[in-house]
């Protein structure tokens, strides 16, 4: 049975399982995958009696052999098992001498005779990278991509004398992303889950529970290894088919075409769903339309007019270049190295020598791969360079594009000098709506790149206007949190951000604000379809205030100051004492779903202005503007690792951020119960916390108010952003003499409101954010009715697709009722009367809540207004207005509404620490 060994770049630990029986195992195979299976099986208590792998290559032992030799396990390195189709008896005898009860073939590139396969009492199991019987053969995963399958996976089956035809023991499957490569599928799923499954399969066999399911013949295919001559690109195909062909052959043998009489191989393709970019035309043999060399790569066209972006090109001499450099590839002259750069080059030469131990001297012409290195050595080399020279951040692809030592040094020095910075590669979900094309990133943003979640999991984000799926978004895992925090920590401690002066930070923030303004219509459209916000409100408030917030805090960057402090002098010495305001470090920011981008801006802008780095978790139901923000931050030039965005579960991602030891500050906006949980988690390592939590904000309307204005403002206080507003007036106290007229006018105005599509410019009232919240609001209203409050208007779901609720009015609400005590966070107006002239009585009732976020007063009597404002227990008091927030005014609550401030100068101090320094002179 022939197997191919994939390029596997990482390892994952699996949780130990309890086995009732242990087996004596022979492992036949190679690669890091084989090494990991070997380690896990030994950890589980099974005895590996022999490892059968391939001979050393260029003096380098296979990883499986290295691990086994280190443990003292017998290792056999046979170049082949058969000669002229017959088993080599000495090889078979050596195998039989170990006395295995089961053969485990994790990855095997050799033909193993049936004398060996059938020898153990339990037979042999083998790993295969496809959902058998589809795509039998060594190139199964390549054909999964070439044929555009939506599902990939692997099979562990009982080996027989056919080609991958034995009975199935177990199978696992995963989704195939639009731009997934072979490496993506292996690293995300086939590698980590395959290791776990091999261990599980041995467990089933040991306990006598392993199934043998015959493979169906229906749908079975077999494709052999692609030869280079068969990998030529046929251009008369749709773009998707071209993309599948290129990515299916990436990296071996490589899809190729002829350009200017030379064979050129394409690597790193993705579908490009955008307008045709500017670029220089490049004639390609057989293509009906010239390609375009653009700043992001080579754009080629399918016969359907759609586009594929190719990032890298390789020529016949093995030289690989970025496709964007095709016309300038030969124009690069050798750099003259400084003395410091020469020292770095020698450090790298020493690293190469340690890896290429079989090479006597590392010459300028030494080729990394031709000297015996493999893909596993790439990771080691880059990590050693990073450890010694933290400012030199290289990628795996850099090594493949500069395999000779002299070329590698030139490339490394150019990176150090800031040349050739990697362009952001962004996969979009694109939709034509609101008279524009909206491009929405959907992956996690970690360390300056959009990547799938570590475990490949996704979830659907829903348009509340009609219940349709907008996009399938990556759902970050604990491993992603660790990666994002590590990236933020590295950026804070050692990266360019740390070395940047305050004024430069401010310029980056101004640039980001400009980009947000430039994309404001697209951002508002995304915000509208993802959160349900009316487009006009999203444009003005959700996006408009976000832009203002970044500009406001950009201006603070170079104005953060300490103080000099006169202290008691000990004669004859003199002392100078001063304070410094310093950034805290890595900050976790967790935001709600009612104002997705604006809440991001309120916290992130202050955090960044102070010089911190951040990991932000948007609300699970509204991730899309945060991810678009990540794209814009990269375009603005923010160094990688400074901003990281992790969509996903609050219970998973938010919890792990709260307790992570490398996170030094948590900024949270959300519910009070969740805020309490964050405080408990943060207490484990005493990280700084600021919380903006729930509210039940009182609005007191006196009879001496300007009534029409009070009606208008009162409705805004409740129904603004369809009631999904943290400072919404949770309870209106209306003076008895104007109560009935106030209610009548409110109902009249509600009847004029247009409920409908939030993208319609004439819509007043959009859908609630998500289905579960709508159901909670309907239950809230039912409770109010049961308790005896009068439902004057609304209280029902609107009969149309989506999650629409009627604006609602309750009167006759008594202080003990549930709706008088608890926040609705929706379009529910809760009205209580108070006696004429009873100022202190209504004040006492207004304060009789455990919350203290905001409050309001309507009266023409300024003395009365100021008296009440002093007595109200709330972080914000509005007088004859409501919802009037500004980027310069601090915002935050008292009591169970939390502590700490967003906005204004005070917000900066939430993300700074004070250091006192005393000098004696």
């Amino acid at each position: 049975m022939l197997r191919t060994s994939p390029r596997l770049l990482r390892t994952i630990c699996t949780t130990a399982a309890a086995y009732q029986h242990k087996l004596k195992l022979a492992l036949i195979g190679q690669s890091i995958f084989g090494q990991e299976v070997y380690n896990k099986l030994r950890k589980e208590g099974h005895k590996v009696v022999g490892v059968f792998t391939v001979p050393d290559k260029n003096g380098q032992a296979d990883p499986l052999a290295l691990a086994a030799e280190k443990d003292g396990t017998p290792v056999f390195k046979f170049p082949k098992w058969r000669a002229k189709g017959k088993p080599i008896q000495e090889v078979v005898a050596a195998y039989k001498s170990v006395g295995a009860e089961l053969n485990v073939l994790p990855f095997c590139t050799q033909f193993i005779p049936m004398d060996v396969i059938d020898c153990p009492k339990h037979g042999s199991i083998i790993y295969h990278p496809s959902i058998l019987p589809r795509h039998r053969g060594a190139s199964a995963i390549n054909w999964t991509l070439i044929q555009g399958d939506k599902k990939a996976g692997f099979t562990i089956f009982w080996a027989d004398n056919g080609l991958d035809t034995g009975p199935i023991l177990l199978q696992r499957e995963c989704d195939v992303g639009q731009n997934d490569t072979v490496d993506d599928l292996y690293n995300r799923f086939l590698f980590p889950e395959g290791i776990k499954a091999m261990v599980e399969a041995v467990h089933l066999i040991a306990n006598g529970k392993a199934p043998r399911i015959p493979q169906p013949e229906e749908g079975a295919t077999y494709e052999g290894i692609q030869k280079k001559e068969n990998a030529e690109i046929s251009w008369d195909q749709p773009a998707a088919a071209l993309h599948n062909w290129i990515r299916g052959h990436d990296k071996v043998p490589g899809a190729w075409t002829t350009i200017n009489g030379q064979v050129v191989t394409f690597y790193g393709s993705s579908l490009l769903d955008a307008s045709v970019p500017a670029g220089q035309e490049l004639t390609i043999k057989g293509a009906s339309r010239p390609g375009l060399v653009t700043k992001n790569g080579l754009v080629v066209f399918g016969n359907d007019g759609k586009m594929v972006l190719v990032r890298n090109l390789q020529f016949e001499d093995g030289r690989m270049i970025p496709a964007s450099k095709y016309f300038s590839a030969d124009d690069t002259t050798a750099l003259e190295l400084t003395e410091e750069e020469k020292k770095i080059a020698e450090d790298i030469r020493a690293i190469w020598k340690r890896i290429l131990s079989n090479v006597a001297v590392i010459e300028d012409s030494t080729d990394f791969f031709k000297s015996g290195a493999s893909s596993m050595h790439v990771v080691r080399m880059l990590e050693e360079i990073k450890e010694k020279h933290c400012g030199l951040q290289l990628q795996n692809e850099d090594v493949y594009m500069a395999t000779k030592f002299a070329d590698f040094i030139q490339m490394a020095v150019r990176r150090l000098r800031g040349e050739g910075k990697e362009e952001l590669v962004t996969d979009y979900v694109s939709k034509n709506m609101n008279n524009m094309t909206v491009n929405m990133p959907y992956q996690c943003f970690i360390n300056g790149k959009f990547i799938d979640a570590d475990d490949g999991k996704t979830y659907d984000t829903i348009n509340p206007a009609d219940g349709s799926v907008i996009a399938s978004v990556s759902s970050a895992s604990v491993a992603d949190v660790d990666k994002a925090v590590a990236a933020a920590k590295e950026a804070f401690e050692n990266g360019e951000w740390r070395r940047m002066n305050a004024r430069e930070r401010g310029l980056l923030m101004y640039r980001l604000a400009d980009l947000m303004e430039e994309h404001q219509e697209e951002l508002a459209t995304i915000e509208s379809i993802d959160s349900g916000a009316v487009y006009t409100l999203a444009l003005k408030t959700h996006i408009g205030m976000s832009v203002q917030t970044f500009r406001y805090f950009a201006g603070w960057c170079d104005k953060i100051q300490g103080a000099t402090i006169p202290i008691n002098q000990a004669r004859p010495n003199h002392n100078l004492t001063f304070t410094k305001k310093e950034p805290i470090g890595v900050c976790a920011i967790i935001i709600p779903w009612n104002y997705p981008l604006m809440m991001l801006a309120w916290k992130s802008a202050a955090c960044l202005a102070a010089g911190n780095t951040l990991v932000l978790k948007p609300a699970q139901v509204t991730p899309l503007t945060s991810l678009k923000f990540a794209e814009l931050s990269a375009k603005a030039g923010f160094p990688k690792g400074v901003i990281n965005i992790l969509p996903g579960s609050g219970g998973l991602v938010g919890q792990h951020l709260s307790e992570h030891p490398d996170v030094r500050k948590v900024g949270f906006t959300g519910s009070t119960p969740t805020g309490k949980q964050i405080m408990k988690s943060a207490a484990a390592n005493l990280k700084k916390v600021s919380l903006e939590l729930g509210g039940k904000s009182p609005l007191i309307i006196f009879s001496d108010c300007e009534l029409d204005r009070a009606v208008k403002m009162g409705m805004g206080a409740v129904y603004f952003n369809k009631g999904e507003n943290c400072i919404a007036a949770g309870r209106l106290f209306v003076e008895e003499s104007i109560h009935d007229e106030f209610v009548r006018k409110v109902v009249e105005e509600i009847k004029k409101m247009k409920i409908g599509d939030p993208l319609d410019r004439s819509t007043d009232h959009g859908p609630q954010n998500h289905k579960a919240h709508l159901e909670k609001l309907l239950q809230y209203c039912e409770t109010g009715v049961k308790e005896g409050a009068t439902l004057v208007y609304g209280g029902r779901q609107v009969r149309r697709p989506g999650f629409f609720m009627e604006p609602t009015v309750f009167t006759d609400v008594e202080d003990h009722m549930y709706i008088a005590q608890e926040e609705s966070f929706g379009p529910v107006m809760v009205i209580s009367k108070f006696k004429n002239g009873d100022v202190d009585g209504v004040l006492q009732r207004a304060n009789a809540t455990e919350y203290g976020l905001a409050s309001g007063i309507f009266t023409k009597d300024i003395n009365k207004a100021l008296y009440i404002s002093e007595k109200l227990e709330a972080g914000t008091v509005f007088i004859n207005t409501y919802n009037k927030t500004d980027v310069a005014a601090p915002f935050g609550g008292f009591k169970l509404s939390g502590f700490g401030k967003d906005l204004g100068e005070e917000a900066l101090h939430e993300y700074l620490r004070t250091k006192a320094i005393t000098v004696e002179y």
Side-chain angles (χ1 to χ4, degrees):
M1 272 141 282
L2 185 64
R3 299 288 176 266
T4 55
S5 178
R7 185 170 147 233
L8 298 173
L9 302 179
R10 67 189 176 100
T11 59
I12 285 186
C13 294
T14 55
T15 304
Y19 291 97
Q20 296 176 4
H21 306 287
K22 310 299 178 185
L23 296 177
K24 290 190 291 184
L25 308 174
L27 259 70
I28 306 174
Q30 65 278 319
S31 80
I32 295 176
F33 185 93
Q35 180 190 56
E36 284 297 301
V37 171
Y38 166 84
N39 289 333
K40 297 298 183 290
L41 289 171
R42 276 174 50 86
K43 186 177 180 181
E44 299 294 348
H46 297 288
K47 182 175 178 60
V48 179
V49 294
V51 164
F52 299 84
T53 185
V54 293
D56 296 353
K57 182 180 179 183
N58 295 320
Q60 299 281 335
D62 183 80
L64 175 57
L66 287 173
E69 288 168 347
K70 182 179 178 182
D71 295 331
T73 301
V75 176
F76 303 84
K77 301 178 181 180
F78 300 135
K80 55 184 177 180
W81 293 69
R82 302 190 305 180
K84 296 181 179 179
K86 295 183 178 181
I88 301 172
Q89 292 307 313
E90 307 90 89
V91 172
V92 174
Y95 162 78
K96 289 183 177 179
S97 70
V98 302
E101 297 173 317
L102 174 69
N103 290 332
V104 178
L105 284 71
F107 262 101
C108 183
T109 60
Q110 298 173 311
F111 284 96
I112 311 301
M114 292 307 296
D115 305 52
V116 173
I117 292 295
D118 292 336
C119 181
K121 72 174 183 179
H122 293 298
S124 302
I125 60 170
I126 188 166
Y127 173 95
H128 181 79
S130 87
I131 308 169
L132 290 174
R134 183 160 177 77
H135 305 311
R136 291 172 175 165
S139 301
I141 188 59
N142 303 78
W143 285 100
T144 296
L145 295 177
I146 291 168
Q147 295 193 359
D149 293 355
K150 299 302 182 184
K151 295 286 184 181
F154 59 80
T155 304
I156 296 171
F157 67 98
W158 300 93
D160 67 353
N161 61 357
L163 286 166
D164 310 326
T165 58
I168 294 169
L169 196 160
L170 61 80
Q171 291 183 322
R172 300 284 186 271
E173 67 176 36
C174 68
D175 293 330
V176 179
Q178 177 177 275
N179 291 316
D180 276 343
T181 64
V182 170
D183 278 355
D184 291 333
L185 293 174
Y186 269 119
N187 294 332
R188 185 179 80 228
F189 184 79
L190 300 179
F191 178 64
E193 296 303 320
I195 293 165
K196 295 177 188 176
M198 287 297 284
V199 176
E200 181 184 346
V202 173
H203 165 65
L204 291 170
I205 293 167
N207 290 326
K209 297 180 179 178
R212 291 176 179 263
I213 305 168
Q215 286 195 45
E217 284 303 313
E218 184 180 351
T221 64
Y222 178 84
E223 296 286 356
I225 294 174
Q226 278 288 92
K227 295 180 179 179
K228 188 70 176 181
E229 58 265 29
N230 296 329
E232 183 177 6
I233 299 168
S234 173
W235 289 103
D236 190 19
Q237 300 182 82
L242 294 176
H243 168 55
N244 289 337
W245 185 259
I246 295 168
R247 65 173 176 156
H249 289 85
D250 191 341
K251 301 274 186 295
V252 178
W256 60 274
T257 191
T258 302
I259 301 176
N260 293 329
Q262 187 177 16
V263 170
V264 179
T265 305
F266 288 4
Y267 294 112
S269 73
S270 57
L271 288 171
L272 184 61
D273 187 4
S275 56
V276 177
Q280 190 171 350
E281 287 193 353
L282 179 64
T283 301
I284 301 172
K285 182 181 178 181
S288 60
R289 181 173 177 180
L292 292 173
V293 177
T294 74
K295 65 178 182 179
N296 293 322
L298 173 63
V299 174
V300 295
F301 298 86
N303 61 12
D304 55 357
K306 295 183 179 179
M307 296 175 287
V308 177
L309 177 68
V310 179
R311 290 190 292 276
N312 299 315
L313 305 175
Q314 188 175 44
F315 299 100
E316 291 176 272
D317 61 2
R319 182 170 50 104
M320 185 180 284
I321 64 167
S324 60
K325 304 296 183 184
Y326 180 84
F327 288 111
S328 56
D330 298 324
D331 297 340
T332 304
T333 55
L335 297 173
E336 188 71 29
L337 271 57
T338 66
E339 289 303 314
E340 183 63 30
E341 289 165 349
K342 288 177 181 177
K343 291 178 183 177
I344 293 172
E346 289 310 306
D347 288 341
I348 295 174
R349 192 187 301 272
I351 292 170
W352 277 46
K353 183 65 182 73
R354 286 195 294 273
I355 294 172
L356 304 175
S357 57
N358 56 306
V359 178
V361 179
I362 304 298
E363 306 280 0
D364 283 356
S365 59
T366 300
D367 188 288
F368 192 69
F369 295 106
K370 290 180 181 178
S371 299
S374 64
S375 57
M376 69 174 181
H377 296 114
V378 172
V379 177
R380 173 185 165 184
M381 188 248 286
L382 296 185
E383 287 301 313
E384 284 197 48
I385 292 173
K386 179 181 175 182
E387 186 176 37
K388 193 165 183 64
H389 300 285
C390 60
L392 188 48
Q393 304 286 333
L394 301 174
Q395 307 298 321
N396 295 339
E397 206 63 47
D398 294 327
V399 186
Y400 291 98
M401 297 178 72
T403 61
K404 293 180 181 178
F405 182 76
D407 295 338
F408 185 85
I409 292 301
Q410 289 282 309
M411 177 274 299
V413 170
R414 292 182 188 280
R415 291 286 190 277
L416 273 174
R417 295 182 182 182
E419 297 178 21
K421 286 192 175 179
E422 186 179 351
E423 292 282 347
L424 178 68
V425 177
T426 309
D427 291 339
Y428 297 116
V429 170
S430 297
K431 293 186 181 293
N432 294 315
M433 56 176 52
N434 204 19
N435 301 315
M436 69 184 78
T437 299
V438 179
N439 294 315
M440 296 170 282
Y442 57 85
Q443 297 166 292
C444 301
F445 186 73
I446 300 174
N447 205 27
K449 289 185 175 182
F450 283 108
I451 60 173
D452 290 333
D454 185 78
D455 57 10
K457 290 184 178 178
T458 62
Y459 68 93
D460 292 338
T461 185
I462 304 299
N463 184 341
D466 58 12
S468 65
V469 174
I470 306 170
S472 183
V473 178
S474 292
S475 184
S477 66
V478 168
D480 295 307
V481 174
D482 291 338
K483 284 190 282 189
V485 172
K489 184 180 181 183
E490 175 67 18
F492 179 75
E493 294 180 350
N494 302 311
E496 181 184 349
W497 185 249
R498 180 78 168 186
R499 299 187 294 271
M500 191 179 294
N501 68 48
R503 202 155 293 172
E504 288 175 319
R505 278 204 313 274
L507 288 174
L508 277 181
M509 293 182 65
Y510 278 122
R511 195 177 304 152
L512 177 54
D514 289 345
L515 282 170
M516 291 166 68
E517 187 170 56
E518 182 182 326
H519 289 263
Q520 62 182 334
E521 293 181 350
E522 185 179 19
L523 285 166
T525 302
I526 298 171
E527 193 92 330
S528 186
I529 64 171
D530 205 24
S531 77
V534 171
Y535 175 76
T536 50
L537 175 65
L539 193 62
K540 177 182 183 295
T541 301
H542 291 230
I543 313 306
M545 194 173 189
S546 300
V547 173
Q548 291 175 26
T549 302
F550 266 90
R551 287 191 175 137
Y552 174 81
F553 282 107
W556 268 109
C557 287
D558 60 355
K559 300 174 186 66
I560 298 171
Q561 300 176 358
T564 56
I565 302 172
I567 66 170
N568 193 33
Q569 307 285 356
R571 296 178 182 178
N573 297 324
H574 296 276
N575 299 98
L576 170 65
T577 297
F578 61 94
T579 59
K580 288 181 66 178
K581 297 286 188 180
E582 297 181 339
I584 295 171
V586 179
C587 299
I589 293 174
I590 305 170
I591 58 173
W593 43 258
N594 56 330
Y595 296 100
L597 188 64
M598 195 172 79
M599 292 295 99
L600 176 153
W602 281 22
K603 296 189 186 313
S604 298
C607 174
L608 294 169
N612 301 287
T613 58
L614 64 88
V615 180
L616 181 139
K617 195 205 86 65
Q620 185 169 5
V621 291
T622 53
L624 295 179
T625 42
S626 294
L627 294 172
K628 189 69 180 180
F629 168 84
E631 179 193 3
L632 297 179
S633 73
K635 289 182 178 179
F638 275 77
K640 66 179 184 178
V642 174
I643 295 171
N644 304 273
I645 309 289
L646 297 178
S649 162
L652 183 72
V653 178
Q655 177 67 27
H656 194 47
L657 282 171
S658 300
E659 60 194 15
H660 200 292
D662 290 332
V663 171
R664 301 310 311 150
K665 156 75 196 251
V666 178
F668 172 75
T669 295
S671 71
T672 296
T674 304
K676 291 178 179 180
Q677 181 59 45
I678 286 173
M679 282 197 70
K680 290 178 183 178
S681 301
N685 62 342
L686 297 178
K687 57 173 58 75
K688 190 174 183 180
V689 177
S690 58
L691 304 171
E692 195 256 280
L693 307 176
K696 188 66 175 174
S697 301
L699 174 57
I700 307 171
I701 301 174
F702 289 94
S703 59
D704 61 355
C705 70
E706 187 179 326
L707 186 58
D708 288 341
R709 179 176 177 80
V711 168
K712 180 181 178 181
M713 289 288 181
M715 292 181 67
V718 175
Y719 302 131
F720 187 81
N721 201 48
K722 8 87 176 202
E724 295 168 352
N725 189 21
C726 54
I727 58 172
R731 190 175 180 191
L732 277 64
F733 295 93
V734 181
E735 199 161 7
E736 192 172 31
S737 60
I738 62 167
H739 174 274
D740 293 349
E741 187 178 4
F742 178 88
V743 172
R744 180 181 59 77
K745 285 179 174 287
V746 164
V747 172
E748 285 178 359
E749 292 302 315
I750 289 175
K751 291 177 179 179
K752 298 175 186 176
M753 292 171 64
K754 179 180 178 180
I755 301 172
D757 181 1
L759 293 177
D760 185 336
R761 303 319 192 253
S762 64
T763 294
D764 298 300
H765 189 81
Q768 305 310 133
N769 184 270
H770 52 280
K771 184 178 181 181
H773 184 55
L774 172 63
E775 291 171 348
K776 176 186 170 185
L777 288 172
L778 296 173
Q779 182 62 47
Y780 184 92
C781 292
E782 288 179 15
T783 301
V785 172
K786 288 177 182 177
E787 287 187 321
T790 301
L791 178 61
V792 175
Y793 192 90
R796 297 170 300 182
Q797 181 176 358
V798 179
R799 292 188 176 182
R800 58 171 293 156
F803 312 135
F804 293 84
M805 180 175 179
E806 295 176 335
T808 300
V809 178
F810 277 102
T811 60
D812 302 318
V813 178
E814 299 178 11
D815 295 353
H816 67 273
M817 292 180 178
Y818 177 84
I819 62 173
Q821 296 292 322
E822 297 299 326
E823 182 180 30
S824 70
F825 212 65
V828 183
M829 182 177 285
V830 175
I831 302 176
S832 298
K833 292 180 186 178
F834 68 94
K835 293 180 180 179
N836 294 332
D838 188 11
V839 174
D840 290 323
V842 74
L843 184 55
Q844 183 178 0
R845 294 172 69 190
N847 282 332
T849 173
E850 56 189 6
Y851 300 108
L853 188 56
S855 57
I857 309 160
F858 277 87
T859 177
K860 293 177 183 176
D861 186 341
I862 191 62
N863 292 323
K864 181 165 56 179
L866 292 175
Y867 170 77
I868 294 172
S869 68
E870 290 178 2
K871 300 291 185 181
L872 282 171
E873 297 173 0
T876 297
V877 180
F878 298 109
I879 299 176
N880 294 327
T881 188
Y882 209 89
N883 287 324
K884 183 65 176 177
T885 54
D886 187 85
V887 294
F891 180 92
F894 300 160
K895 301 188 290 187
L896 289 189
S897 290
F899 52 83
K901 297 295 181 184
D902 290 323
L903 304 179
E905 182 182 358
E906 287 196 38
L908 279 174
H909 301 299
E910 301 293 337
Y911 296 92
L912 292 165
R913 61 186 183 186
T914 302
K915 180 181 288 183
I917 301 170
T918 297
V919 181
E920 187 174 287
Y921 62 96

